[in-house]
Amino acid sequence: MLTGRGKGRIRPPRRVSDKASALVDIDKPNTTLHDVTMSPRRRRWCGWGVGDMCASSMHSPRSVGLTNPTENVDFDTIWKELQMSFIEIHTKDVSKISFEEQYRNAYKLVLKKMGDRLYECVKTFEEAWLKDEVKTKIQSLLLGGNLISAATVGIRGMSMNEKRVAGEKYMKEMKAAWEDHRLCMGMITDVLMYLDRVYCTENKKPSIFTATMCQFRDHVLRSHVAPDGPEPTTIENILISVILEQIQMEREGDIIDKTLIRSCIYMFEGLYETEYEDENEKIYLTSFELEFLNASRQFYQSEGESLLRNSDAGTYLRHTESRLREEQDRCRSTISPLTATKIKEVVEEELIKQNIRDVIEMEGSGLNFMLDNDRLEDLRLAYNLVSRIDPKKAELQKALQKRVVQMGAEINKAAKTAVTAVAQPNEKENGKEVAAPAAKAAPPPNAAALQSIAAIRWVDDVLRLKDKYDNIWAKAFQQDHGLQTALNRSFQEFINEFQRSSEYISLFIDENLKRGLKDKTENEVDAVLEKAIVLLRYIQDKDMFERYYKKHLSRRLLMGKSVGGDVEKQMISRMKLELGNHFTQKLEGMFKDIALSGELTTAYKGHVRQLDDGSRERIELSMSVLTNTFWPVESWDSTAKATCIFPPDIERIKAGFENFYLGKHTGRRLTWQPNMGTADIRATFPKVQGKDAALARERRHEINVSTYAMVVLLLFNNLPAGASYTFEELQTKTNIPPNDLIRNLQSLAVAPKTRLLIKEPMSKDIKPTDRFYFNENFSSKFLKLKVGVVANGNKVESEKERKQTEKRNDEMRGGIIEAAVVRIMKERKELPHQQLYSEVISQLRFTPDINMIKKRIESLIEREYLERVEDKSRPAYRYLA
Amino acid sequence: MLYSKDQLEVRLLAEKREIAEGRLRDCNPLDTSWSFEELCEACRRGDVRACRELITNGANINAVDRFDNSPLVLASLCGHYEVVQFLLESGAICRRDTFQGERCLYNALNNRIRNLLLRYDYSKTTHPLQPFASHLVSLLSRSQPETSDIVVNTATQSFHLHKFLLSARSPYFRQILSKPPGIDSWELPYTILPQAFETATRFLYLGDIPAEFLTQEESIITNIDDLGHLLEIQGLLETVMESEDRRLAQQRRGDEMEKGRLQLEEWFRRTVLNHKIVLETSNVAGVRWCRDNPVFADVLLRADEDPDLYEPNKRTEGARDIVGENTAKPLNGHLVGPVLEPHPPPHPQQPRKSTLYPVHRAMLIRSDFFMTMFNSSFREAQRSEHLQIVSIDCSPSVLEAVLAFLYTEKAEFSLELAIDVLFAADLLLIEKLKVRAAAIISTLGNDPTTTRRPLGERPPSKESKKSGAIDIYDIIRTGWLTRVHRLEEFGAKYLADRLEDYIDDEEFAELIQESAERIKQRQETDSIELLDDIRYYLSERFRLRFEEPGLEQMIAGNGNEAPPESNHDTSQRPAAGERECEGDGFDPASPEPRAGDQVPPGDQGHGSTARTVDGEVAGGECATDGRTYQMLLGRIEALLDRLELDA
């Protein structure tokens, strides 16, 4: 059983000896060859196709080239012939050699299984040739000059020019030797083509060409120049240092023979470390390139240092760029393109990575200088260079952000000083008249306006800054995405640092929608709105902005000050796009209310006309019915809800409308907001005898006053001439909140143009004991008058108001937070503390105060929505259904 | 590009019509020959080896059987991936836009085969003459080595062309070139546009006309038409205009290549072979040919006669200078080679003869040998006043065969020449010719005159073997030397079929020894390749005979005897070359054949040896075969033992 296998297992030792003898065959081709021919068994085989075969067969194959038995196996003769031809090839005397003959010689040897001998002989021959002829020639050249010491020690004794001349001579010699060798080996390879194709392929040997290239490497390039010299230097080392020196000269501005160097580089590229010719093991890569990169690294290291010391940032950047370009050119024209990326990395590492931070921060010419002076060209350079080494451009980004935040902080500071400059006197006054409730009623007339201007200016400044950086971003930074994010983040940072940003931006929009836009083209409107939206994007506390916007919008709508519904709606839709449906829902509700109110008014007019018996002079009513939740009702003085006592005529209309409205919509409650209304009254002033002409006749005026003022004025209708009301009397009779009353009386009795009432004593401030008379002597050039109420428009809030707004906002936020907490807990039932926080924060549209969340949770626990989970290692909450 | 079924049927109809009208040739003709049926059978079985043999021997790969099945359809239907691949590589056509092609895809057993078919769609199949044609067209753009010998000028552009090709392909040029032999440039009528002439040139050089030359522009078309008339070439205009039906275009191109090949062949026979010079070897050195010669040759190839009648001492003698005769009229360009004069030889024996062939570098460089030669700076590549004479070490008839292949892509030579041609092709590095020569040699396997002799005949003597057409030892060794593996395979089969005749031959043992040594040099495997092959073919040879009787015996229920028999059959059938199986099956029987070693084998088919093994007389031829088989295997073993080889 299994005999076949058994045999195989038992016999290996013998096979080993077989192998050994096979090896001997190769090692000592001469002796074994004779053995072979002697051995009777093989003799026939060797002679096959030659003697025996010819004799035995009529058509026996005449094996090519072997027709003559005598020339059969004489290796030496054939080799001598071949060798002669090789020498002729080397001495450039080829024209007499017959290719066919030499090829056939080699063919014969290979066919006779003497390929290995031939192969070895060729190698020996070439080795001898390289050693005796080529190397000697180069060595003699070297020993003549002082290149060796120049290359190794680098003596300064030689002038630049001498060095160059010596180097070029040496390179020329190397180039000639190399090209000679290649050419000759090309021809020898041609002759030995059959050897290459048959013997080398079958025995997996490197081709003759490869083998001799390796020999050139070992016996010429890597041979020691002066074996007895102090330092063992190879020809290769000297060549490399000569080339590097030349390159160094070029870097310093000299002109060198690029093509000569290139041809030496070709040599390095054509040689490999091993006979397998692995592309990664080119001598160019393994020795020259390493040296070159090292030398370059040193050069650029010191160049970078000296540049930092001696030049400004712009120059540095420009120099770096030109160096980079130069190196790329060098790779193309002088050395190999293989090095292009590597040398690029070296330059980038040494000139950019190491120093870019210093360059960016360079005093007086660094990034800040470029940004401030719009040096787009330099910025572009900086960007390009930085992006070479760092796809994130961290350094640039950092510096850029720092600068933006810095600039932003300056704008904030300017705005703050403007506000405090206005606020300061205000406070003072408040301090002085702290006793009087009316103290606030008399700020310097233009302080608020000043503040508004400051607000507008803040927004303008921010926008200008934004424009500037957008421009730089687009033109110098190639619209880099990462930098855009960075810029946005910095804008966001300083805008949110400024507490009034939401208010100011809303005010800016208000300003533009109120007046600014009237004479602008559509495109300009677009641009302004777009800008506003851009800023809006940066605001973190969107709810705050919404609050202000609502407030400002409500005034615009109710006072009819808006520039036009279209633009408003455009704005809303932009916000919708930017912030989502949720944000604009209420704002849209406001518009809807206004529109509905218009219809309602018309409907009511029709209704009244039907009922009208024509007996009385009609008082027209136009009203806006506002949905409570859409409008910032609470920002209008909430005390106003305390019922104002209207004169009976008005009361009747009011009641009539209420009936009409509630008849239409059941289940609604109407609350009147007289502080937001206006009234047009027609007043007749009697003749005043004995006065100047203007007063001598009866004067009619149409006066537009606030609702409160109307109520006050109507009181005087019932008063006999000359009689008066005190402030207190007016208050009891009207039940108008004192603040509003004071303000209205101020505009009626103090403002010089619209002094319909006379106050006694005459002063700016209103005291409870002041008396008010109807001013019969009132006169005005205009038929129509408008009695403005102090602080009626949208203005910057005072510090106190802002606090209030914030407080209200916080209350609302509290509600929102609670709602979020409950929503989350209802779903999750039980959640650890940290997770709950992070979920809450992720749900909110503003950045909440952690303390606030904590408080809200506490309060929810108190109210038994939640409970703490006691037995957990980490704090956690559970939802109580 | 993709058609639905009905569209395909429409196309099938149109195709049939066009074939009937003679416009299109049927590329899937019905074939009922025996070899084609064999091929179909091999495709069903998945037998790549058989397919290769049959196709090499000329079975039409694209034909169909009575049921319209092509070999490709059968192979893909039966799911033989390797066979499908082999068929496609050998030129089987699977075209998406034809009924047959789509059917083949549809029938494919699995996606792997389907994808393979798709990969080989149309564009991949190449005409067998394509390499020939692309060599010719490459001459137009090749600058090294210099091969062109005439400049043809149009009004604005010059073309560097080859006289021999122009002369072979265009009657117009033939006429021009035959008159004054010395011209090296020619002016075309100025009306001929360079673009049109460029197209015509590509056409003459058998290049495909690239898309940018296909034009609808009337001026160029008429110009090309004129040019066609002028140069007296047919089909040029159609080729240029044709762009619609790629199948028709391909067919036309195939025809044109075939025509071009024939023209070149005719020209080759008429001029090159007609102008060959046969002379005494000693006179060769004196031959002087001018560059201006009616053959337009730029090099002379020399081949010496077989040395059978040649005596070495003659070589140095009689180097008579015949320059005087040759240079008599060297400049008028007429053939100045010496006409072989029948002047009496100085010695009674015939002097050795050499033959010179006037040839063209342009065609020679199809061989890498000549390519390197003419590209180098050696003597042969240098331009001399008279033509260089390059001697090729083979007999004139061999050289003629080689030249015929280079000029005409034809390899038609006798078996006697085949081995020499193989060697010459190896020397000259012409791989394709090697393959062709090997193919010619191995077709012998099917030659009925060399089939196995009946059993029982004595192994023939060496002489009688030689009287057969071939010496199989030569062939195997040639295969080894020239690295044509196919010959070794063929030899193994040949030997296996006649092993009885060779097993005792001393030379056979030597051959086995050599084969073993080849392996030792490589040290890769332990088995002897040749022997493995022989064993395999041996099992093939007996397998078919075993199958049926074994089955019969099983049915007959001859319990005593049948099991071991059938065991042998089944065990060796899958892999007879594997030692393990054989060992299992035959070990008990092994002493027997060894004993029979001494007795001349197969002496008596029904001899006592058989009875001793089975204990019973096994009847019929089948049992005899079984014993022969075992006996042969045993003797191989014995041979190995004797040679102290391990396999």
Side-chain angles (χ1 to χ4, degrees), chain A residues 214-225:
Chain A
C214 291
Q215 283 180 325
F216 185 85
R217 177 194 69 209
D218 294 338
H219 302 302
V220 177
L221 206 54
R222 295 254 162 105
S223 65
H224 293 296
V225 176

Side-chain angles (χ1 to χ4, degrees), chain B residues 11-86:
Chain B
R11 287 186 68 84
L12 183 65
L13 189 70
E15 193 185 310
K16 287 253 164 74
R17 197 186 307 124
E18 290 203 352
I19 288 169
E21 285 168 4
R23 288 220 299 133
L24 205 60
R25 263 195 309 278
D26 194 357
C27 53
N28 304 109
L30 178 66
D31 191 336
T32 51
S33 69
W34 171 84
S35 67
F36 182 72
E37 269 167 26
E38 280 289 289
L39 177 62
C40 289
E41 193 49 42
C43 287
R44 286 197 187 90
R45 267 207 319 274
D47 186 344
V48 186
R49 208 190 277 251
C51 286
R52 188 186 300 135
E53 238 162 57
L54 287 160
I55 287 167
T56 324
N57 294 335
N60 183 356
I61 199 168
N62 279 314
V64 292
D65 66 5
R66 278 171 298 141
F67 311 102
D68 264 0
N69 290 323
S70 68
L72 190 63
V73 169
L74 291 169
S76 56
L77 181 65
C78 298
H80 300 302
Y81 184 87
E82 285 74 21
V83 178
V84 174
Q85 191 168 28
F86 173 72

Side-chain angles (χ1 to χ4, degrees), chain B residues 377-397:
Chain B
S377 46
F378 292 104
R379 194 178 70 204
E380 288 90 338
Q382 279 160 12
R383 198 178 168 87
S384 53
E385 190 192 343
H386 300 289
L387 295 190
Q388 297 262 9
I389 300 173
V390 177
S391 72
I392 302 300
D393 195 11
C394 59
S395 67
S397 46

